[in-house]
Amino acid sequence: MSVRRVVANVASCTGCGLCMIGCSAEHVAGFNARYSWVKVDSDLMGVPAGIRFTHGCDRAHSSQCVFLTEVPSCVALCEPRALRYLVDTEELAS
Amino acid sequence: MTPGYSGMMLEVDLGQRRAEGRPIDEDVRRSLLGGNGLGAWALYHTLAPGVDAFSPENPLIFCTGPLSGTLAPITPKMCAFAKSPLTGGYMDSISSAQLGTELKCAGYDLLLIRGAAETPTYLRIDDDRVSFEDARSLCGSSTFEAQETIRAAMGDASARVLAIGPAGENRVRYAAILGEHRAFGGGGLGAVMGSKRLKAIVARGTGVVSAHDREGLFNCARRFMARVRQSRAATVLTSFGTPVHTMILQKLGGLPTRNFQTGVIAGAEKLSGEVMRETYTKKVIACPSCMTPCGMVTEVREGEYGGTSTLGPEFQAIATLGSLLGHDRLDAVIALDRLCDELGVGQCSVGNVIAFAMECRERGLLSRTDLDGLDLHFGNHQAAFELVGKIARREGIGDLLAEGVKKASEQLGRGTEDFACEVKGMEMTGFEPRSLKSQAIGFAISNRGPIHNEVRPLAEFFSAVDWNRPEGVGRLAKTLSDWTALANCLVWCLSAERVLDFKPWPVMVELVRLVTGYDVDEASLVTVGERVQTIERLINVREGLTRSADRLPKRFVREALPEGMKKGVRVPQETLDAWLDEYYTARGWNDNGIPTSETVDRLGLRALLEA
């Protein structure tokens, strides 16, 4: 069985929050970032300090995200590629 | 309910400590969409003509747009409205503050605040529970301290706050409102908030924003992302932010310098986006929902301003707090930017006011004694820094300068009106209107005062108009200001839209359709823009602002640029008059700049304005 995982790099994150808005739409009947399973914690200025996965997100896209089939929606909406979806790579094994 | 809307407005009376939700008619939403349109409509109905801007009867309005909080790209903004204490007319101010999304998730598209509190208060909106909280302990606190304190009291990191600083509390006529580090900077709405003794607003919303076609919206956002990744304009914007304009303007001879005495400054490259990126930028961040991050988080590491960090400065701050004050010190601009945000002072206005005072000193019209001992002269950024604090506290000379350039000049007299750079009582933004004709007409016609975004500065380069001939300029100004009004209805970013190569209409149509399900097309969206411009104008007409208010400062009409690419250029009154005639005709307004009855009917405004 292949190993699949969403990995986060906060250094690349711009804090736009589209990942959270997209993720929330997977879980509620609309949009509200507070229902997202991925959380970008930013300071008052808007500088992202950390990216967390909550609510039991398995970060493996196992039937949790429905909009796209190839990658989780948080990754699909991440323009700066701070979130990436890795499948069977050495990066995951290390 | 139509997707994209909550369909409700929250009406608050601070004096009576009462709040109630009221539905917003479907006709209003469909005709005006949101943001700019919805706010102008609400101001038209709730502002009694002739009311003083600091009267409790002046309503303060906040508004979101139908796309806010959804996956629609480049729509992070919200709008604020009131009668302006600078212009005495219609004002809207637009910011990327995040409270709008919380407000929408709490169930409101619009927040209308009337009356004034008896003691300092902050408004707490927790879904449908509204309360009036004691803000006495927050008096005098910075905009950031107030936000942090209130957010902590709310016990929810997702709650969002708007706050004023000392400048708003002291009714500095160009005080700002801050949400996070994003300002509603123009037009003095922070002073209106201060006059209501309203220190802050906090909102928390646990509802959701719906969309007509969520999957379509998702795919649209993905296509937009692909476009961003291929866009050269996006690369430039995200590399240098809006300060990329510094050197463009310098080359055009249109970088406002020494109170608009000239359009070039020696050492401009030290104020450039390139130097900012290399020397001061430590992170580039985005507004909410935006795929073209252009927010430069800067830090001064050493020297007299060492240890200062801010979000920005944007180009407007570099121009008005840098070259306009006759200096080329980016570290000083960063420190001034931070100080203005902490104190809640509108940056463009305060830069203009200080530049005006510097010219007064240069001409011997204000002495060092008049200036409380400050050695205020062009180039002295330390004195400017001190003066911002005095203005925010209305201390000494700061009390006069807190009134804005127009009122200060009226009080000083002695020919100062010849170099008082204001339109409708509001100070200028950072594009030189002699070097960029789009700005000359835009500054004159804008209902809210001289704003660079009413008619885009880049119009100069992408339009087919021959700016040296009178024909076509007024019509182009109409087309572009309709586009501006519509963008501000949605509420979308006028900077990030450059990704779309200045052809935003197809994406605007698609997004409105996907989110609201309204069957709109380009023509119907243009009509929305026309409606908004006309409602704004009708508010101004009620306040006595007509053709004679659509003018330029004397300096731009009489004095030619002394150097640079546009040396010798001025904007003669005859030229401006020809532009205005064509603009009014294109709008269906009479030659005094007043919308005709036929135009009100053609735009379907009669019922909306009578309701």
Side-chain angles (χ1 to χ4, degrees):
Chain A
M1 188 176 158
S2 68
V3 180
R4 306 176 299 171
R5 196 165 171 83
V6 178
V7 296
N9 175 13
V10 73
S12 306
C13 177
T14 65
C16 76
L18 277 165
C19 57
M20 296 193 280
I21 299 173
C23 177
S24 73
E26 303 282 0
H27 309 293
V28 292
F31 304 100
N32 183 336
R34 74 176 59 236
Y35 301 116
S36 171
W37 291 16
V38 58
K39 300 279 184 195
V40 178
D41 300 310
S42 299
D43 63 13
L44 193 66
M45 201 180 272
V47 178
I51 301 173
R52 293 178 289 136
F53 295 88
T54 64
H55 295 80
C57 175
D58 65 6
R59 299 167 65 179
H61 192 221
S62 51
S63 78
Q64 290 178 334
C65 315
V66 296
F67 278 134
L68 279 191
T69 53
E70 292 145 42
V71 293
S73 55
C74 61
V75 175
L77 291 162
C78 185
E79 195 281 329
R81 299 185 171 97
L83 296 174
R84 290 177 305 143
Y85 187 54
L86 304 183
V87 182
D88 288 335
T89 66
E90 283 183 19
E91 197 175 332
L92 283 175
S94 62
Chain B
M1 181 46 55
T2 314
Y5 296 93
S6 68
M8 298 290 286
M9 59 191 272
L10 178 62
E11 203 171 328
V12 171
D13 189 311
L14 290 168
Q16 299 181 27
R17 294 168 78 90
R18 237 185 23 211
E20 87 185 296
R22 275 182 30 194
I24 300 169
D25 286 347
E26 164 72 14
D27 275 356
V28 175
R29 277 183 275 125
R30 191 182 280 272
S31 306
L32 300 168
L33 289 178
N36 196 170
L38 208 49
W41 166 82
L43 191 63
Y44 182 90
H45 283 287
T46 53
L47 174 66
V51 162
D52 187 83
F54 292 149
S55 158
E57 291 171 54
N58 185 15
L60 178 62
I61 296 164
F62 295 93
C63 213
T64 69
L67 311 183
S68 314
T70 72
L71 284 176
I74 69 166
T75 57
K77 306 275 178 182
M78 66 177 291
C79 313
F81 308 82
K83 179 175 186 172
S84 165
L86 282 174
T87 70
Y90 169 85
M91 185 56 62
D92 63 45
S93 185
I94 294 163
S95 163
S96 291
Q98 295 181 36
L99 179 121
T101 304
E102 290 300 310
L103 196 63
K104 203 163 162 182
C105 290
Y108 306 106
D109 297 319
L110 186 149
L111 169 62
L112 170 66
I113 300 170
R114 299 173 191 258
E118 277 184 28
T119 55
T121 298
Y122 77 84
L123 182 67
R124 185 179 193 269
I125 301 164
D126 188 0
D127 283 327
D128 55 358
R129 296 175 297 281
V130 179
S131 58
F132 301 84
E133 307 290 336
D134 187 354
R136 279 176 297 186
S137 65
L138 294 170
C139 286
S141 64
S142 79
T143 58
F144 302 141
E145 287 161 356
Q147 290 185 69
E148 299 275 18
T149 306
I150 292 169
R151 216 194 256 194
M154 199 75 176
D156 182 344
S158 301
R160 290 290 178 265
V161 187
L162 300 181
I164 57 169
E169 292 175 43
N170 294 327
R171 302 185 188 187
V172 173
R173 284 185 186 269
Y174 42 89
I177 303 168
L178 272 284
E180 300 82 48
H181 283 238
R182 314 274 182 181
F184 297 92
L189 301 183
V192 173
M193 195 156 151
S195 74
K196 298 184 175 306
R197 294 184 199 86
L198 183 63
K199 178 69 180 174
I201 303 164
V202 60
R204 176 180 178 270
T206 61
V208 297
V209 180
S210 58
H212 168 70
D213 180 354
R214 275 200 296 173
E215 193 166 351
L217 190 56
F218 184 93
N219 291 327
C220 176
R222 292 275 289 158
R223 284 196 304 279
F224 193 89
M225 187 193 296
R227 203 160 169 172
V228 167
R229 285 178 173 160
Q230 288 169 3
S231 163
R232 194 175 160 270
T235 305
V236 172
L237 181 64
T238 59
S239 299
F240 305 109
T242 56
V244 74
H245 290 122
T246 302
M247 292 314 293
I248 299 174
L249 271 288
Q250 168 82 357
K251 282 174 197 151
L252 282 171
L255 185 63
T257 299
R258 295 197 301 280
N259 197 33
F260 293 98
Q261 291 184 58
T262 181
V264 292
I265 187 168
E269 59 285 348
K270 294 184 204 159
L271 295 169
S272 66
E274 291 80 352
V275 165
M276 192 160 109
R277 178 70 195 235
E278 286 299 314
T279 313
Y280 299 105
T281 301
K282 59 174 187 178
K283 176 80 181 171
V284 184
I285 62 171
C287 289
S289 309
C290 183
M291 292 180 184
T292 54
C294 70
M296 301 289 148
V297 178
T298 56
E299 184 179 31
V300 183
R301 291 181 194 86
E302 54 194 11
E304 60 190 301
Y305 300 110
T308 309
S309 180
T310 195
L311 175 55
E314 300 295 334
F315 167 70
Q316 295 299 331
I318 289 176
T320 54
L321 298 170
S323 54
L324 200 65
L325 306 184
H327 72 88
D328 59 9
R329 287 279 297 270
L330 198 49
D331 58 343
V333 176
I334 290 170
L336 283 162
D337 180 282
R338 172 77 191 201
L339 182 67
C340 287
D341 287 354
E342 282 176 359
L343 298 174
V345 178
Q347 297 180 342
C348 288
S349 281
V350 82
N352 273 266
V353 166
I354 294 171
F356 169 75
M358 284 173 165
E359 188 161 350
C360 286
R361 173 84 197 284
E362 194 175 67
R363 290 170 179 254
L365 300 167
L366 279 176
S367 69
R368 193 159 173 174
T369 314
D370 293 330
L371 293 161
D372 308 329
L374 277 181
D375 185 20
L376 194 73
H377 58 78
F378 286 113
N380 190 345
H381 47 88
Q382 294 99 336
F385 194 86
E386 271 190 62
L387 195 48
V388 171
K390 290 169 85 67
I391 288 169
R393 296 187 296 272
R394 280 192 175 266
E395 181 187 292
I397 187 69
D399 192 36
L400 173 70
L401 298 180
E403 292 293 293
V405 165
K406 181 168 188 228
K407 285 190 162 57
S409 165
E410 282 168 0
Q411 205 159 320
L412 288 168
R414 293 187 288 165
T416 52
E417 68 273 14
D418 287 347
F419 57 90
C421 296
E422 48 80 23
V423 182
K424 299 184 173 73
M426 189 155 103
E427 293 75 19
M428 324 285 285
T429 55
F431 290 96
E432 218 300 326
R434 285 165 293 192
S435 67
L436 290 164
K437 298 284 172 53
S438 57
Q439 301 303 283
I441 184 164
F443 283 10
I445 60 161
S446 174
N447 293 312
R448 43 193 175 153
I451 300 268
H452 58 285
N453 269 336
E454 199 71 57
V455 176
R456 303 291 201 296
L458 293 167
E460 223 85 1
F461 309 107
F462 69 79
S463 73
V465 165
D466 178 354
W467 295 88
N468 295 316
R469 296 168 51 84
E471 301 83 24
V473 173
R475 283 195 300 275
L476 179 70
K478 188 257 177 200
T479 301
L480 291 175
S481 55
D482 283 342
W483 167 3
T484 297
L486 177 66
N488 291 342
C489 288
L490 289 181
V491 183
W492 120 332
C493 178
L494 294 167
S495 185
E497 69 174 14
R498 71 189 69 191
V499 172
L500 302 171
D501 301 325
F502 302 100
K503 296 181 194 74
W505 297 103
V507 177
M508 285 175 162
V509 168
E510 185 182 15
L511 286 172
V512 173
R513 283 170 170 256
L514 288 169
V515 173
T516 67
Y518 286 150
D519 183 22
V520 295
D521 55 27
E522 184 174 326
S524 69
L525 291 186
V526 171
T527 306
V528 172
E530 292 184 291
R531 288 187 186 116
V532 176
Q533 288 286 353
T534 296
I535 295 174
E536 291 178 1
R537 176 57 57 134
L538 289 168
I539 293 172
N540 273 356
V541 169
R542 281 195 318 207
E543 302 293 343
L545 299 175
T546 55
R547 181 175 186 131
S548 61
D550 292 346
R551 57 174 181 81
L552 284 174
K554 285 183 186 169
R555 170 153 278 168
F556 305 102
V557 177
R558 293 180 182 170
E559 299 173 27
L561 280 166
E563 57 189 324
M565 186 196 277
K566 298 291 176 76
K567 183 179 175 180
V569 174
R570 62 186 179 97
V571 186
Q573 187 61 43
E574 311 83 77
T575 304
L576 185 58
D577 279 331
W579 290 347
L580 288 180
D581 287 338
E582 192 183 85
Y583 176 71
Y584 296 154
T585 303
R587 283 232 168 276
W589 299 353
N590 71 19
D591 58 11
N592 199 22
I594 300 171
T596 62
S597 186
E598 294 75 37
T599 296
V600 169
D601 284 328
R602 177 178 66 81
L603 297 173
L605 286 174
R606 187 80 56 194
L608 290 178
L609 297 181
E610 279 169 3

